[in-house]
Amino acid sequence: PGSPTAAAAAAAAETGTNMNEPSSPTAKSVGLYFKMSKMTDAVKDLNSLANEGEMDIRREGGMARFTGRTEVLLVFYKDGMFFRNGPLRPYSLKQTQVFIDDMLQGYFPSELKDQFPEGVIFKLHDKSSEDYEREAHIKSFAKGVAGYESAQHLLQRLPKSVIQDGKVIQVRE
């Protein structure tokens, strides 16, 4: 990698990104890559642009109903970022750096443009003082977040049994 352009360096200085810090997989601090306060401000601005709190009208099968804006989980840990349903994205990954840079510069991350052309509401959680631990993460964020479900909750939603090819199959056992 070469040195950053003057424009990129200016943007990095403005957003709190440290472009001269090496992208080391062993780096363990959000501060090496950006300032969390800058990310919090950027998320507030982006959520405002996405009309946080407003309702959309969704039409399905000849019916229309109001629904809230789509929210996606965004958790920052010491050692990486957890977005949507994971996996953890280490800060040393180029994809993670592009995502963060887009946000800090006031843009919705480019990887979301096709899926959410009108923007999306980020549900930000600052865990930047903690290392990512899978079980603790699941306990903290499994409730009320699309895409997360405990095994027990999933089993409760499934039927007790199904009939396939004339045979009763126990699903929950």
Side-chain angles (χ1 to χ4, degrees), residues 69-130:
R69 293 287 174 138
T70 302
E71 290 185 350
V72 295
L73 181 65
L74 183 60
V75 185
F76 290 96
Y77 289 97
K78 269 187 195 179
D79 46 353
M81 171 186 96
F82 191 92
F83 174 65
R84 297 179 82 183
N85 297 327
L88 182 75
R89 296 179 181 189
Y91 296 122
S92 58
L93 290 179
K94 185 68 176 169
Q95 177 187 17
T96 305
Q97 293 170 6
V98 168
F99 187 100
I100 289 169
D101 286 345
D102 282 351
M103 292 186 72
L104 291 174
Q105 292 178 30
Y107 300 107
F108 284 99
S110 55
E111 71 181 79
L112 302 179
K113 288 183 181 175
D114 290 337
Q115 188 172 5
F116 302 106
E118 302 297 319
V120 67
I121 305 300
F122 294 103
K123 194 168 184 171
L124 175 69
H125 295 273
D126 179 4
K127 298 276 190 174
S128 59
S129 63
E130 304 171 23

Side-chain angles (χ1 to χ4, degrees), residues 111-165:
E111 71 181 79
L112 302 179
K113 288 183 181 175
D114 290 337
Q115 188 172 5
F116 302 106
E118 302 297 319
V120 67
I121 305 300
F122 294 103
K123 194 168 184 171
L124 175 69
H125 295 273
D126 179 4
K127 298 276 190 174
S128 59
S129 63
E130 304 171 23
D131 286 324
Y132 171 77
E133 293 178 18
R134 185 177 186 277
E135 293 305 316
H137 177 84
I138 290 171
K139 285 180 183 175
S140 294
F141 299 107
K143 295 178 183 172
V145 177
Y148 270 123
E149 225 173 348
S150 69
Q152 187 67 26
H153 187 256
L154 175 62
L155 284 174
Q156 289 173 350
R157 291 188 327 117
L158 295 174
K160 290 181 181 179
S161 60
V162 295
I163 299 174
Q164 185 175 9
D165 298 326

